């Protein structure tokens, strides 16, 4: 061990002694167990091979290791939602915290833990079957009635409901810590809707990729067999009489749930659709899932919604998360819900007192894994112990899960609590505070640290018995506050370094033989809610790409003309800025009609370096931001551009996403967007004389480099805001944010690479805010990196996504948005005529933004003709960026949808738009009226744009219509306890 590593090791031992000497509430204990070193201060054999991979890395090495793990978490989009904030505002998910050093368990420890968890699962399973069945434990006096019927987890409506097969408890999780003697204690059992299995799988994926050498050296037992077993057992859980290929779904509270990622990731690895209550409906005594105009029967539900919220008809009437009539379907035996309703009873803290006796009675075995010492106030002798030791116990309610820490109570409060416990002792248990072992971890600074650690292990009901995940979710705690109490936790991957246990070959063979053909069918994922989110994912992805392409093209011209106002075509800048505002539905800064004066005391907005629209600030003072755009009216040389605007709404499972963006109403100071053509006509100058005069005027001010009116700092601030401002509808960052929200709502449908790409865009936007030096170059880099990431998303959609209903709906969103963006851009940029130099610059920018510059030059060389441009961007069905191509793809996508008739309103509107294109002669689009407006081109673009907008509205309200949010069944939502 190097000198530096020895120093870090010494710091670790000192930190371990400091943190390990206290329990969960900060009270001193007589000893602790160190997972890294033994009592003699030497490394445990389990760690000896891996010390070089972790302990000897030094501060810089551990910091780099931690950075790799954090980067992988960003790339995989692993999040956790803290619900402790404002109840009226949905909490934003934050990155998952994962310590890079795993927790190692040897073969002896694991065998004891595995046997103890299996036994505990069998015991709880037998207890669950008895309480909701014959109730012999109650009649025999093994379990007091108050413990059962007084706990909120008991569901009277679940009595008599049983699952097919041998087991009533499908999935069980328990939190376990190690005492100073090396033995384990159970801190809590989780049977309501156990969470964390998805996080455990994601943690293993991250750590194995971040430290592949250490992972290969340790060769921990894999977690995939547990996933395969869960998939098979969910299929096996189907009720009698179910189809040969049962439909299994994972029921989630929604994307704003605390463990939304856990639910979605587990559904993804299992291969079953993640659904919400809006996706399910009870009809004719059965449970169905909505599937784009049809219903598909559901056979098995893996429940992640708490039981009391599962059915507002028979359970909690104010629930907005459940399915009306679900309990009745369960009673009929037409669906299997796991974990079963009522399994939350097993989470009662009072059960810990009775489990040893219940184990002897129900299993004829002594309990292998004891719980932490617990005293029930309903028993006279235990109540005496509880009252005497109250200042150091953790008081837990056996009715409503509330918790009180005795160490934090004052003398008057202690007296008050003693009186309450004496009066209603059955409502309370006192538990000894949890004691934790200490394990190595990486501190935020990169130093080797020591922290209390616990584990959450998972067991699954199989055909023969229970199977335990070979690992689990490590919980690395932190001591917070002066009292030394345990605070928020960081996750740890758990490596079980043991030889794989032999699994009975007969069971595996039978399962594979019987269930090999079973595969989830693609149709079960096509609920209107899921398709609605996929549709808006396509819209926002295309919206972001169109925005960043035009931003890049406009910023390139800004860089060209910023300090060169005398160059030909410089007067194109106001036109491009106005087109950018029109396409994104934002209001650009007003163009300046005269060059700035040399008086440095003038308005700050006219001086170089002053930015009236700094990054992140909205410039839309009249707040007129619409979605999808509308009719474009061009009036003479003034360049007035106005969109009628529409509004699109994305109602995803995460709430309402209001779509505001392309082609919306864009007005600058009363709607006037004056380009160079208007200035020349009003001033009576030719292009040449105007440029010469302006160059002479600017050359008289040599002290500071001053930008020309159309390429001012205002424009730069506007470009910055349209790039990085997440609060500005129409901006690149806003579109990416909305894409992410929609994607999180259908995470189970997406490739893991999606989150890596979104993370790359977020990093690019964040790094710009901290960039120094040439901000123009930094902004160009943001555009380039964002575009590369968006192209990767498009590549995943095009080359790695199955062409099912979801893909066609997402492609419909893309094609509609591309058509709306293109028609809006061309209407804003080309319907007015300009002098040749300006027309050339505008045309080049339009071709660059529409990815058609190379094709245009190959066909037409350096000539600039609107007819030629229209031929490529409007009528060429071989150009993937043309309007005709988008209409053709829309037609194919609509026909590929289930129950496509060919005569729906969206298809009729689409046919009308195609007919409009076929009627036009490209040569007629060159003709201008007396005011310099290309009337034929404007009318064509407006007509197609309007029809595309109506196609979107009609498609959403018919095929993608999501049921209204569930309302309370009764006038009052108060629940009687």
């Amino acid at each position: 061990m190097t000198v530096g590593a020895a120093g870090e090791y010494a710091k670790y031992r000192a930190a371990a002694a400091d943190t390990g000497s206290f329990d969960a509430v900060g009270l001193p204990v007589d000893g602790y167990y160190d997972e890294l070193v033994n009592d003699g201060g030497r490394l445990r054999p389990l760690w000896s091979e891996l010390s070089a991979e972790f302990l000897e890395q030094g501060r810089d090495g551990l910091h780099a290791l931690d950075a790799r793990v954090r980067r992988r978490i960003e790339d995989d989009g692993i999040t956790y939602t803290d619900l402790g904030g404002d109840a009226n505002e949905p909490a934003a998910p934050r990155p998952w915290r994962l310590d890079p050093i795993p927790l190692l368990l040897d073969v002896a420890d694991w065998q004891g833990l595995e046997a103890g968890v299996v036994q505990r699962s069998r015991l709880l399973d037998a207890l669950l079957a008895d309480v909701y069945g014959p109730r012999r434990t109650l009649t025999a006096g093994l379990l007091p009635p108050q413990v059962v019927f007084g706990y909120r987890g008991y569901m009277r409506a679940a009595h008599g409901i049983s699952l097919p097969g041998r087991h009533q408890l499908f999935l069980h999780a328990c939190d376990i810590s190690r005492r100073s003697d090396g033995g384990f204690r159970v801190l809590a059992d989780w049977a309501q809707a156990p969470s964390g299995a998805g996080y455990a799988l994601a943690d293993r994926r991250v750590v194995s990729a971040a430290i592949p050498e250490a992972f290969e050296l340790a060769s921990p037992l894999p977690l995939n067999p547990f996933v395969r077993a869960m998939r098979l057992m969910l299929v096996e859980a189907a009720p009698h009489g179910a189809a040969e290929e049962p439909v299994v779904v994972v029921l989630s509270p929604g994307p704003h749930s605390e463990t939304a990622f856990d639910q979605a990731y587990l559904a993804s690895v299992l291969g079953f659709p993640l659904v919400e209550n809006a996706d399910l409906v009870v009809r004719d005594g059965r449970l169905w899932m909505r599937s784009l105009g049809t219903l598909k029967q559901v056979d098995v539900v893996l429940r992640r919604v708490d039981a009391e919220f599962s059915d507002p008809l028979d359970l909690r009437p104010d629930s907005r998360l459940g399915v009306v009539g679900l309990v009745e379907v369960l009673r009929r035996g037409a669906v299997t819900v796991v974990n079963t309703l009522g399994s939350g009873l097993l989470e009662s803290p009072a059960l810990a007192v009775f489990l040893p006796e219940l184990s002897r009675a129900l299993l004829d075995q002594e309990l292998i894994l004891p719980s932490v010492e617990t005293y029930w106030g309903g028993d006279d002798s235990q109540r005496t112990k509880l009252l005497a030791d109250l200042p150091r116990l953790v008081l837990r309610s056996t009715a409503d899960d509330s918790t009180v820490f005795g160490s934090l109570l004052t003398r008057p409060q202690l007296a008050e609590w003693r009186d309450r416990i004496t009066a209603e002792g059955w409502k309370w248990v006192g538990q000894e505070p949890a004691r934790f072992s200490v394990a190595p971890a990486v501190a935020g600074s990169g130093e080797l640290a020591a922290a209390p650690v616990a584990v959450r292990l998972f067991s699954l009901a199989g055909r023969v018995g229970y199977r335990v995940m070979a690992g689990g979710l490590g919980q690395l705690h932190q001591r917070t506050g002066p009292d030394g109490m345990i605070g928020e936790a960081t996750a740890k991957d758990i490596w079980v370094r043991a030889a794989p246990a032999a699994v009975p070959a007969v069971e595996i063979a039978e399962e594979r033989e019987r269930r090999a053909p079973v595969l989830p069918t693609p149709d079960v994922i096509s609920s209107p809610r899921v398709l609605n989110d996929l549709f808006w994912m396509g819209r926002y992805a295309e919206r972001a790409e169109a925005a960043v392409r035009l931003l890049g093209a406009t910023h390139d011209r800004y860089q060209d003309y910023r300090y060169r106002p005398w160059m030909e075509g410089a007067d194109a800048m106001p036109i491009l800025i106005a087109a950018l505002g029109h396409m994104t539905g934002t209001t650009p800064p007003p163009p300046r009609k005269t060059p700035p004066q040399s008086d440095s005391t003038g308005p700050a907005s006219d001086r170089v370096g002053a930015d009236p629209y700094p990054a992140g600030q909205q410039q839309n003072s009249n707040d007129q931001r619409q979605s999808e755009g509308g009719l474009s009216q061009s009036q003479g040389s003034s360049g007035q551009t106005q969109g009628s605007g529409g509004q699109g709404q994305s109602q995803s499972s995460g709430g309402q996403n209001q779509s505001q963006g392309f082609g919306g109403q864009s007005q600058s100071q009363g709607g006037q967007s004056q380009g160079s053509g208007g200035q020349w006509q009003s001033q009576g100058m030719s292009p040449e004389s105007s440029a010469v005069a302006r160059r002479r005027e600017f050359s008289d001010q040599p002290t500071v480099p001053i930008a020309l009116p159309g390429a001012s700092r205002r424009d730069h601030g506007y470009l910055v805001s349209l790039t990085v401002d997440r609060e500005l509808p129409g901006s690149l960052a806003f579109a990416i944010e909305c894409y992410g929200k929609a994607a999180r709502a259908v995470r189970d449908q997406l490739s893991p690479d999606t989150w890596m790409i979104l993370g790359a865009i977020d990093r690019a936007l964040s790094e710009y805010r901290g960039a120094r030096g040439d901000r123009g170059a930094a902004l160009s880099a943001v555009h380039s990196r964002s575009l590369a990431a968006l192209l990767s998303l498009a590549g995943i959609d095009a080359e790695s996504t199955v062409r099912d209903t979801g893909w066609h709906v997402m492609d419909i969103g893309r094609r509609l948005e591309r058509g709306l963006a293109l028609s809006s851009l061309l209407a804003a940029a080309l319907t007015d005529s300009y002098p040749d130099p300006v027309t050339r610059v505008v045309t080049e920018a339009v071709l660059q933004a529409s990815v058609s510059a190379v094709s245009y030059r190959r066909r037409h060389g350096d000539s600039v003709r609107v007819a030629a441009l229209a031929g490529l961007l409007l009528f060429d069905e071989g150009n993937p960026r043309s309007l005709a191509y988008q209409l053709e793809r829309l037609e194919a996508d609509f026909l590929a949808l289930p129950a496509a008739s060919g005569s729906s309103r969206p298809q009729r509107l689409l046919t009308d738009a195609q007919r409009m294109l076929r009627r036009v002669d490209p040569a007629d689009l060159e003709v201008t009226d007396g005011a310099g407006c290309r009337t034929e081109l404007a009318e064509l673009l407006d007509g197609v744009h309007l029809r595309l907008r109506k196609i979107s509205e009609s498609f959403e309200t018919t095929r993608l219509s999501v049921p209204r949010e569930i309302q309370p069944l009764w006038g009052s939502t108060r629940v009687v306890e």
Side-chain angles (χ1 to χ4, degrees):
M1 184 177 292
T2 64
V3 176
E8 292 295 320
Y9 177 67
K11 291 181 181 179
Y12 165 80
R13 294 204 61 195
D18 181 57
T19 190
S21 301
F22 301 91
D23 60 22
V25 298
L27 298 176
V29 294
D30 54 2
Y32 66 94
Y33 187 93
D34 195 321
E35 302 285 349
L36 179 63
V37 300
N38 58 24
D39 294 337
R42 301 181 64 84
L43 287 178
R44 298 188 184 276
L46 193 65
W47 279 96
S48 58
E49 297 177 74
L50 297 174
S51 61
E53 302 293 337
F54 299 107
L55 308 181
E56 300 179 19
Q57 288 288 321
R59 182 172 180 173
D60 293 340
L62 289 177
H63 185 73
L65 174 59
D66 188 47
R68 288 202 301 272
V69 168
R70 290 175 183 268
R71 178 66 176 266
R72 291 290 307 188
I73 288 174
E74 273 187 32
D75 289 345
D76 288 353
I78 307 176
T79 59
Y80 177 82
T81 305
D82 189 354
L83 301 182
D86 187 356
N88 297 322
E89 288 292 332
R94 58 175 173 81
W96 180 246
R97 292 197 298 265
L98 174 64
D99 188 75
I101 302 179
L103 177 65
L104 305 185
L105 294 176
D106 63 18
V107 60
D109 287 336
W110 178 247
Q111 287 177 346
L113 282 172
E114 186 177 31
V117 171
V118 167
Q119 183 203 50
R120 201 174 183 94
S121 298
R122 290 176 54 219
L123 175 58
L124 294 177
D125 175 57
L127 179 60
L128 184 66
D130 179 75
V131 168
Y132 290 101
R135 296 178 176 171
R136 295 190 182 95
T137 54
L138 295 170
T139 57
L142 294 173
L143 202 57
Q146 303 97 311
V147 172
V148 175
F149 304 124
Y151 185 58
R152 66 181 303 173
Y154 175 75
M155 294 284 146
R156 288 175 174 79
H159 185 73
I161 297 176
S162 61
L163 303 182
R166 299 180 54 186
H167 302 289
Q168 297 304 299
L169 179 61
F170 182 81
L171 184 65
H172 170 222
C174 55
D175 292 342
I176 300 173
S177 68
R178 195 199 295 257
R179 294 289 185 92
S180 58
D181 60 359
F184 296 96
R185 296 288 189 278
V186 174
L187 305 179
D189 290 289
W190 304 104
Q192 169 75 260
S195 63
Y199 281 124
L201 298 170
D203 290 348
R204 176 61 58 87
R205 171 186 166 93
V206 168
V207 174
S208 62
I211 46 175
E213 297 85 2
F215 185 80
E216 183 177 356
L217 180 62
S219 297
L221 295 183
L223 305 183
N224 289 335
F226 187 84
V227 178
R228 291 196 295 270
M230 180 179 286
R231 184 185 300 116
L232 290 171
M233 295 316 301
L234 282 169
V235 172
E236 290 280 348
H240 300 296
E244 184 178 352
E245 297 183 358
V247 174
V248 183
V249 299
V250 180
L251 178 59
S252 166
H256 296 302
S257 168
E258 196 171 16
T259 57
F261 172 85
D262 179 68
Q263 301 156 22
Y265 191 81
L266 185 61
S268 177
V269 296
L270 290 173
F272 300 131
L274 186 73
V275 301
E276 299 174 24
N277 65 329
D279 302 322
L280 303 177
V281 63
V282 171
R283 299 275 176 84
D284 301 324
R286 298 182 182 277
L287 183 66
W288 306 84
M289 187 174 72
R290 295 181 172 94
S291 182
L292 201 61
T294 63
L295 295 175
K296 192 169 187 68
Q297 184 175 342
V298 175
D299 301 297
V300 182
V301 177
L302 177 59
R303 176 177 60 86
R304 292 300 298 270
V305 175
D306 285 352
E308 63 178 326
F309 293 97
S310 297
D311 184 352
L313 183 61
D314 285 301
L315 298 174
R316 184 163 175 162
D318 65 336
S319 171
R320 301 191 181 194
L321 302 175
V323 182
V324 177
L326 180 61
V327 171
E328 178 60 26
V329 180
L330 279 168
R331 290 190 180 280
R332 291 170 179 259
V335 71
T336 299
V337 175
V338 292
N339 279 349
T340 183
L341 300 182
S343 59
L345 169 68
L346 303 178
E347 297 181 0
S348 171
L351 284 182
V353 176
F354 306 98
L355 286 182
E357 182 63 28
L358 288 169
S359 179
R360 289 187 286 269
L362 298 178
L363 303 181
D364 196 22
Q365 297 175 354
E366 293 295 327
L367 195 61
I368 298 175
L369 274 180
S371 303
V372 293
E373 293 83 350
T374 306
Y375 313 103
W376 179 50
D379 180 85
D380 292 340
S381 61
Q382 294 187 48
R383 183 170 61 250
T384 301
K385 178 71 171 175
L386 191 162
L387 294 174
D389 295 343
L390 183 57
R392 67 179 183 84
L393 297 179
V394 179
L395 199 60
R396 300 187 188 278
S397 172
T398 63
D400 59 6
D401 292 330
S402 59
T403 300
V404 177
F405 294 97
S407 61
L408 300 181
L409 296 176
T410 63
R411 286 181 180 275
Q413 289 172 333
L414 285 170
E416 180 184 345
W417 274 104
R418 287 190 174 100
D419 292 340
R420 293 180 62 179
I421 293 171
T422 302
E424 293 183 308
W426 68 270
K427 287 187 175 181
W428 302 96
V429 297
Q431 288 185 336
E432 296 283 347
R435 300 181 185 183
F436 300 98
S437 60
V438 175
V442 176
S445 59
E447 295 180 346
L448 184 64
V453 65
V455 298
R456 177 172 293 183
L457 301 182
F458 303 90
S459 67
L460 173 72
R463 284 170 147 192
V464 176
Y466 280 86
R467 179 176 304 176
V468 182
M469 178 187 286
L473 181 63
Q475 301 167 340
L476 190 69
H477 298 275
Q478 297 176 349
R479 297 199 179 276
T480 59
D483 51 17
M485 292 188 65
I486 291 296
E488 52 191 71
T490 300
K492 257 187 181 296
D493 191 17
I494 300 175
W495 290 3
V496 178
R497 301 192 65 189
V503 179
V506 175
E507 181 182 1
I508 297 294
E510 287 180 356
E511 288 176 347
R512 288 180 178 172
E513 181 180 356
R514 291 183 58 184
R515 292 299 176 183
V518 175
L519 291 173
T521 56
D523 290 341
V524 299
I525 69 168
S526 56
S527 71
R529 178 193 59 83
V530 171
L531 295 178
N532 191 57
D533 285 314
L534 292 173
F535 173 77
W536 280 102
M537 280 179 60
R539 293 288 300 268
Y540 282 123
E542 190 63 33
R543 184 169 297 185
E545 183 181 337
V548 76
R549 287 188 182 279
L550 186 55
L551 277 166
T554 305
H555 187 254
D556 288 346
R557 275 70 189 175
Y558 171 83
Q559 294 288 76
D560 289 341
Y561 299 131
R562 182 179 179 185
Y563 298 122
R564 301 174 183 84
W566 51 84
M567 290 182 62
E568 276 193 342
D571 286 314
M573 275 305 302
I575 301 169
L576 295 178
I577 292 293
L580 189 59
H582 184 264
M583 194 186 75
T584 59
T586 59
T587 300
R592 292 190 4 225
K593 299 180 181 179
T594 59
Q597 303 299 318
S598 59
D599 183 8
S600 62
T601 63
S605 60
D606 289 340
R607 296 198 303 272
V608 173
D611 191 354
Y613 299 104
Q617 178 180 333
Q618 293 184 211
Q619 298 95 45
N620 199 345
S621 58
N622 54 13
D623 200 26
Q624 296 177 353
R625 305 183 186 114
Q626 307 289 339
S627 105
E628 302 180 9
L631 302 178
S632 173
Q633 300 174 352
S634 300
Q635 300 179 0
S637 60
S638 65
Q640 181 176 356
T641 307
Q642 187 174 8
S644 64
Q647 191 165 5
Q649 293 182 347
S650 169
Q651 185 113 14
S652 72
S653 57
Q656 189 174 24
N657 288 337
Q658 194 136 1
S659 161
Q660 298 175 330
F662 289 155
Q665 190 168 355
S666 174
Q667 297 182 340
S668 298
Q669 290 192 344
Q672 298 292 331
S673 176
Q674 261 195 326
S676 52
Q679 292 178 14
W680 284 320
Q681 290 182 9
S682 62
Q683 297 171 6
M685 292 186 178
S686 67
E688 293 81 3
S689 59
S690 176
V692 171
R694 209 170 48 250
R695 180 175 181 180
R696 184 181 302 113
E697 204 164 347
F698 273 85
S699 66
D700 294 336
Q701 304 178 42
T703 55
V704 290
I706 300 178
L708 78 158
S712 66
R713 288 289 296 172
R714 295 181 176 209
D715 296 328
H716 182 264
Y718 178 61
L719 296 178
V720 169
S721 291
L722 275 182
T723 302
V724 302
D725 188 353
R726 296 179 185 272
E727 303 299 324
L728 178 62
S731 70
L732 167 65
F734 182 85
I736 294 299
E737 187 79 6
C738 292
Y739 179 92
K741 290 179 180 178
R744 283 191 290 272
V746 290
R747 184 188 290 268
D748 60 307
Q749 310 292 329
L750 306 179
S751 164
D753 295 335
T754 302
W755 312 106
M756 177 176 61
I757 297 169
L758 288 178
I761 301 178
D762 287 336
R763 282 191 294 272
L765 296 173
S766 298
E767 288 172 10
Y768 174 80
R769 298 182 181 97
R772 298 182 180 276
D774 188 352
R775 300 277 287 179
L779 190 60
S780 295
V782 171
H783 294 157
S784 299
R785 292 171 60 183
S786 299
L787 180 58
L790 290 167
L791 291 177
S792 299
L793 282 178
I796 291 177
D797 295 341
E799 301 297 333
S800 303
T801 306
V802 176
R803 265 53 172 177
D804 56 9
T805 301
W807 182 88
H808 286 291
V809 169
M810 185 160 55
D811 197 57
I812 287 172
R814 274 191 174 274
R815 301 304 156 187
L816 283 171
E817 196 66 39
R818 187 173 292 183
L820 288 166
L822 180 62
S823 58
S824 178
L825 172 61
L826 295 181
L830 298 180
T831 53
D832 283 342
S833 61
Y834 308 106
D836 288 345
V838 175
T839 301
R840 181 176 297 277
V841 173
V842 172
T843 301
E844 289 175 353
V846 168
L847 288 169
Q848 180 181 340
S850 55
V851 205
S852 300
V854 173
S855 298
Y856 185 88
R857 283 195 294 268
R858 288 175 59 189
R859 296 182 183 185
H860 306 288
D862 290 334
S863 67
V864 177
R865 292 187 56 202
V866 171
L869 189 69
L872 180 62
L873 295 182
L874 295 181
F875 308 111
D876 190 345
E877 296 182 354
N879 179 12
R881 295 283 167 172
S882 74
L883 194 55
Y885 184 87
Q886 311 316 312
L887 301 182
E888 182 182 350
R889 285 291 298 270
L890 281 171
E891 182 180 21
D893 286 330
F894 279 127
L895 290 174
L897 296 181
S901 64
S903 60
S904 64
R905 185 166 188 268
Q907 290 170 297
R908 293 197 305 272
L909 288 166
L910 179 61
T911 301
D912 195 18
Q914 291 173 315
R915 190 180 300 115
M916 289 184 67
L917 282 182
R918 297 191 189 102
R919 290 174 178 172
V920 174
D921 183 350
D924 294 339
L925 302 181
E926 294 271 15
V927 179
T928 60
D929 59 15
C933 176
R934 298 184 177 93
T935 308
E936 187 94 7
L937 177 60
E939 291 178 352
L940 173 64
L941 294 173
D942 292 345
V944 174
H945 189 99
L946 179 61
R947 282 156 181 78
L948 288 175
R949 184 161 57 84
K950 290 185 177 295
I951 289 171
S952 175
E953 294 171 355
S954 178
F955 183 59
E956 285 186 86
T957 55
T958 55
R959 306 304 297 274
L960 304 184
S961 178
V962 179
R964 292 184 178 182
E965 184 180 8
I966 189 170
Q967 300 296 321
L969 292 178
W970 321 118
S972 172
T973 61
R974 183 176 65 88
V975 177
V976 179
E977 298 293 344

